[in-house]
Amino acid sequence: MAWPRGAATKAVAEGTSRPRHVAVIMDGNGRWATERGWPRLVGHRRGAERVKQIVRACPDLGVDWLTIYAFSTENWKRSTEEVLGLMKIFRRYIQREAEEMSGEGVRMRFIGERSRLDRKLQELMASIEARTAGNTRLNLTVAINYGGRDELVRASTRLAERIARGEVTSPSEADLADCMDTAGHPDPDLVIRTSGETRTSNFLPWQAAYSEYEFTPTLWPDFTPDHLATILDRFGLRDRRFGGA
């Protein structure tokens, strides 16, 4: 199956500057369903379908890395029905879609604290990571049971252990970054949050220190590749000075 090419790819051909790594806070699934009088899980299922479209559009839009916020450490506070439903959606997504994405050259990885996830889901995550390890068309990272502060605590603990073993003698930012879940990943150039909310919600606080942000009112199930292309065009107009004059 060929990856779709459409109007959203025009700017790449025209040479517009594009971010290498885009991170997305996929917000608004539940609200999208509620506005239509449907159960919230319907919105999450529709959101998973949208993920497929965005993933397949990214390479033609010049994006090499895509990181998506699927489930935060705070999302356990939601109803048991919604949490269990989300976990079922994650398992189904990996089982049904990951194999096809693997064949299309997508490398899948996961960040977050896995021990709280059910064993079957953990096994599926490890399996698809191993199976797609050699793929290079797109790097897709999915944050599940992820929280930026939690990641920093876990990374600090790993770094302290390395210091205690004598592996690190004069800790640096690079040493801490090497202990993060995202070790080896480039920092995101652009972070997008859908649904109109303007919070970062504990998503990649270390990695996104110098990222550009875009907040869009579009709910995630309505966020199309053309929406993404428009945002990427705006990114190309930004002057990124990283603290310089």
Side-chain angles (χ1 to χ4, degrees):
M1 173 180 166
W3 288 39
R5 294 175 178 270
T9 67
K10 289 182 179 178
V12 174
E14 294 167 0
T16 303
S17 175
R18 290 291 172 128
R20 178 187 180 200
H21 183 180
V22 175
V24 183
I25 303 172
M26 306 179 297
D27 197 18
N29 292 323
R31 197 181 322 163
W32 182 91
T34 300
E35 288 177 356
R36 290 159 174 78
W38 298 335
R40 288 175 58 85
L41 284 173
V42 173
H44 293 302
R45 286 193 288 270
R46 186 63 63 90
E49 292 296 314
R50 186 62 69 189
V51 169
K52 289 195 300 181
Q53 295 179 12
I54 296 299
V55 165
R56 288 174 176 144
C58 277
D60 286 336
L61 289 170
V63 176
D64 299 321
W65 293 74
L66 175 66
T67 299
I68 57 175
Y69 204 6
F71 190 87
S72 77
T73 49
E74 290 73 38
N75 287 156
W76 296 104
K77 299 173 185 176
R78 297 185 179 185
S79 71
T80 300
E81 178 186 8
E82 185 169 354
V83 169
L84 291 176
L86 281 166
M87 295 302 161
K88 184 177 181 180
I89 290 170
F90 297 152
R91 289 194 298 272
R92 182 178 302 164
Y93 181 86
I94 296 172
Q95 289 173 314
R96 293 186 178 181
E97 306 300 334
E99 188 62 36
E100 184 173 332
M101 289 188 182
S102 172
E104 298 287 358
V106 177
R107 180 176 184 179
M108 287 190 69
R109 280 175 278 199
F110 300 88
I111 57 174
E113 214 298 298
R114 302 189 189 193
S115 64
R116 191 171 178 181
L117 304 175
D118 72 70
R119 185 168 300 277
K120 177 62 175 177
L121 179 55
Q122 291 184 52
E123 291 173 353
L124 287 170
M125 291 161 62
S127 174
I128 193 62
E129 284 180 323
R131 197 155 67 246
T132 64
N135 291 346
T136 58
R137 182 173 171 84
L138 175 71
N139 291 276
L140 172 62
T141 303
V142 183
I144 297 182
N145 195 30
Y146 175 86
R149 290 180 175 180
D150 174 72
E151 181 189 25
L152 283 165
V153 169
R154 290 186 287 105
S156 298
T157 300
R158 293 188 193 111
L159 180 56
E161 291 170 350
R162 292 183 181 180
I163 293 171
R165 292 194 298 265
E167 298 171 5
V168 176
T169 56
S170 186
S172 66
E173 289 186 9
D175 291 319
L176 183 57
D178 284 342
C179 295
M180 296 282 195
D181 295 351
T182 54
H185 299 207
D187 289 341
D189 302 295
L190 172 67
V191 179
I192 300 169
R193 181 169 187 151
T194 60
S195 88
E197 302 292 348
T198 54
R199 300 182 298 276
T200 60
S201 293
N202 202 16
F203 184 48
L204 304 176
W206 172 275
Q207 298 87 342
Y210 276 97
S211 300
E212 299 292 321
Y213 277 82
E214 179 91 23
F215 300 100
T216 173
T218 306
L219 302 178
W220 176 251
D222 293 326
F223 189 82
T224 68
D226 282 331
H227 284 103
L228 177 60
T230 298
I231 290 173
L232 298 185
D233 284 341
R234 284 201 291 268
F235 174 91
L237 301 176
R238 300 189 186 196
D239 182 14
R240 304 184 74 204
R241 295 186 297 276
F242 299 98

